[in-house]
Amino acid sequence: MLVSAARRVAVSLILVAFACWMPAAAQDIGRAPAGVIADQQEVIASVTGKVDALQRKLDQSQEDDAALVEIRLQLEQLSRELLQSGVAFRPRLSEINARLEQLGKPPAEGQPAESDVVTNERKALTNEKAEINAVLGVAENLSIRINKIVGQITEIRRDLFQSLLTKRYEIDFALVFEVIDNFETEMSDLYRTVSSWIRFVVSFKLKSMLAATFLALAAAAVIVMGGRRLFGRLFEPDARVEDPSYLSRLSVAFWSTLMQTIAVLVFLGVTYFLYDYFGVLRGDIGAMMSSLFYVIGIVFFVSRLGTAVLAPKLPNWRLIAVESGAARWLMLLIIATAFFTGLDYLLSSVYRVLGSPITLTVGEALVSTVIIGVLVVLIGMVKPFVDDNGQPKPWPRTLRYFLYLLGGVTIAAALLGYIGLARFVSQQIVVTGAILATMYIGFLSSRAINEEDAFAKTTVGRRIQRLFKLDETTLDQLGLVTSIVINLIVIVIGVPLILFQWGFQPGDMTTWLYKVGAGFQIGTFTFSPVGILSGIVVFAIGYFLTRWFQGWLDGSVMARGKVDAGVRNSIRVAVGYAGFAIAALIAISSAGLDLSNLALVAGALSLGIGFGLQNVVSNFVSGLILLAERPFKVGDWIVAGQVSGTVKKISVRATEIETFQRQSVILPNSELINGAVGNWTHRNKLGRIDIKVGVAYDSDVKRAHEIMLDVVRSHPMVLKNPEPFVLFANFGTAALEFEVRFFLADVLASNTVQNDIRFAILETFAREHIHIPSTPRAQDPKPSEKWPADDEQAEAQVAQEEEARSKRAAAVASERKPGRRRKPDPE
């Protein structure tokens, strides 16, 4: 009764508590999202204001490509914020939909009415869902607006580039005189501007300028000295080498061009940054100085590349087999082309800063581009090779005509008034051509290093081999890795530089990288190259950490703890597989892969295991059993069927056994589990050895027994306890059979001990005149000696025949005597 009453009271209390909780829960449900909705409304309002501001900025930057790219980047960032705002509602929408599904639809007409609590809750949830959908609709409309503005920016940039290349200026004689007059005026303005800046620097900023220049030189010196230290002979060609290999020439050309150009660019970049940081530059001087530094970097890069490829003063280091005279002419033409291209860029920047008339810019660009076109044609007209008859030979026809085409297009575009097109083509000839040539040399160097044993012959390879004590195979694999790294360096540096020259902005690169990082979807699978790469990196880190932990655990912890070798091997293998599995799972998670998408693959794999991988699974499970139960361990001497040897390695699939003939036998683990395995050293290395000895019947048997017992007792490796003994085993057909039985602390040394004891018994038996009989072997009958062909031979033969007849007669007579008859065999 008491129990029933207590039960009724408990149920009543639960019902009361539930009734009190329901209204509160309904109120909470109505209030919970209010903060989320308000927060996201504020975010959307903020994004709307920023979009309006960017729209106004776009209307003012129709002619500035860099500003257009910056506006697009900001719009894309706002689009991502809107996406995050929409994602913020997902958890709440999921809760509302789940709750509405639990509550069900309102009762139809004629059905019993539901409680007010349920009705109010459904109404509150429905209103909340409608409010969230309204906010999402505003965000979606704003996202559509942002996408339209981004598309508009793309169209504006395309029109800008097209107008730059297709805009035509009038070219006539009046332009010449106007350009000359304007040039004199602008040069005077330039002189006054630079002179006033120099007076300002000398008076107020001289120390700052000298300090900035010194720091820039120090930064460049670090690059130069570090390059010489790291690359050694690859930093510049060695005139003392008479016949360098093609790989050496490629490497020197690539690294000398790259490292020295980087040093110059570091000097120019640090100089400009420090000048601006210390207030040395003015706005106009800063713009002109940045253009000047750009031109200096381009001209140096092209001249350095030409020197590395053509090597006018070092024919042995020349990459192209051209004549020395032609190499000098080509070098001069290439540097001149780069100089006039840079001069055109510099003067156009100066004119833009000074606000010069457009006619001056057009006239200057006309002269510069025509000169560049003529230089390109002259490069194509050079005959750098020599034929079999010793006559000059021109470039290959395709290359020669291509150079003629480039030079002709540049000249024709300039003379027809398409100055933008002519300037664009001339700049690409010099800058893009130099970058492509350097990239090509880098790819050739990578391919040359990729060849077998090529990396070991380089200076860096030999230095690494001496430093890390690497073998030839490891060094060759390191060469493969170096080849891949060089290709990556060439692509990462070269491709952005080319894209910059073709009108792309850093913002474009940022957008592409973000798209690559975000990935793209194929069906239900989202593929992200950055995610895959991060997963590979995470797995590699996890793998190497596992290997390091294995080595530390085995070599430090378990070795110091005197842990058994078999236990150490089992723990090491288990840690290795566990670490591998953990690293793989973390890598898959880092790569963003959904393991639930692999359910179909897992089902197919299970089916394949059931039909085709039974043996593999059996060996795997058997390997786990061997590692857990440890019926034998690494270092044990086992006998498995016809195989006898020492266990070298136990893995989850097979066990490696090394026979005493040094043959490695790989046995599947299932055979070791299902078959009989003898282990000589299962618990310890103690073992009994038996040596069989035969003694002749006419020997002193007791003396032989004493001798064998004394010999085995005197051996230092034979244990005294258990005591050795000699067993009289059997009366053999040819000898008395004895067995010498003794125990060894290390049964693995049995062969040596048996050898010693057998030699000692043999020597002692020889001194004591105790014979060891042997089974007589069948011998070939010796050929009868030939008798001399005389009468004595005939007499001897007659005597032998008579003796044989008499023996046969005596035998017959003895059988006929009474009492000598043979008894029949018992039935």
Side-chain angles (χ1 to χ4, degrees), residues 50 63 117 124 166 188 281 524 542 553 581 656 707:
K50 293 178 181 179
E63 302 295 331
V117 175
T166 59
S188 299
L281 298 178
T524 60
L553 183 65
E656 178 183 350
I707 290 174

Side-chain angles (χ1 to χ4, degrees), residues 685-718:
K685 294 184 179 182
L686 178 67
R688 195 188 79 179
I689 306 300
D690 299 342
I691 300 177
K692 294 182 178 181
V693 181
V695 178
Y697 273 91
D698 57 353
S699 301
D700 188 349
V701 178
K702 292 187 177 181
R703 179 56 183 162
H705 181 275
E706 293 176 358
I707 290 174
M708 288 184 283
L709 194 57
D710 291 340
V711 167
V712 70
R713 287 175 175 173
S714 62
H715 197 283
M717 297 185 66
V718 175

Side-chain angles (χ1 to χ4, degrees), residues 73 99 172 246 255 281 333 335 341 657 684:
L73 285 177
R99 184 56 182 164
D172 52 18
Y246 188 66
W255 291 109
L281 298 178
L333 292 173
I335 294 177
T341 302
I657 300 175
N684 52 55

Side-chain angles (χ1 to χ4, degrees), residues 47-55 75 78 142 145-146 149:
V47 171
T48 304
K50 293 178 181 179
V51 171
D52 294 337
L54 291 175
Q55 180 72 62
L75 289 172
L78 294 176
L142 185 57
R145 179 188 174 191
I146 292 174
I149 298 176

Side-chain angles (χ1 to χ4, degrees), residues 478-498:
L478 185 60
L480 297 177
V481 176
T482 304
S483 174
I484 296 174
V485 171
I486 292 176
N487 286 330
L488 292 177
I489 291 175
V490 171
I491 294 174
V492 170
I493 296 177
V495 172
L497 291 177
I498 293 176

Side-chain angles (χ1 to χ4, degrees), residues 117 185 192 200 204 271 275 303 335 386 392 395 413 419 434 441 474 476 538 548 580 593 624 634 704 738 786 825:
V117 175
T185 303
R192 288 192 296 272
F200 165 76
F204 302 102
T271 299
Y275 280 4
S303 62
I335 294 177
V386 177
W395 296 105
I419 302 300
I441 295 174
T474 304
D476 186 63
V538 169
W548 171 82
F580 183 87
L593 299 179
L624 296 179
V634 174
F738 289 83
K786 293 184 178 181
D825 295 333

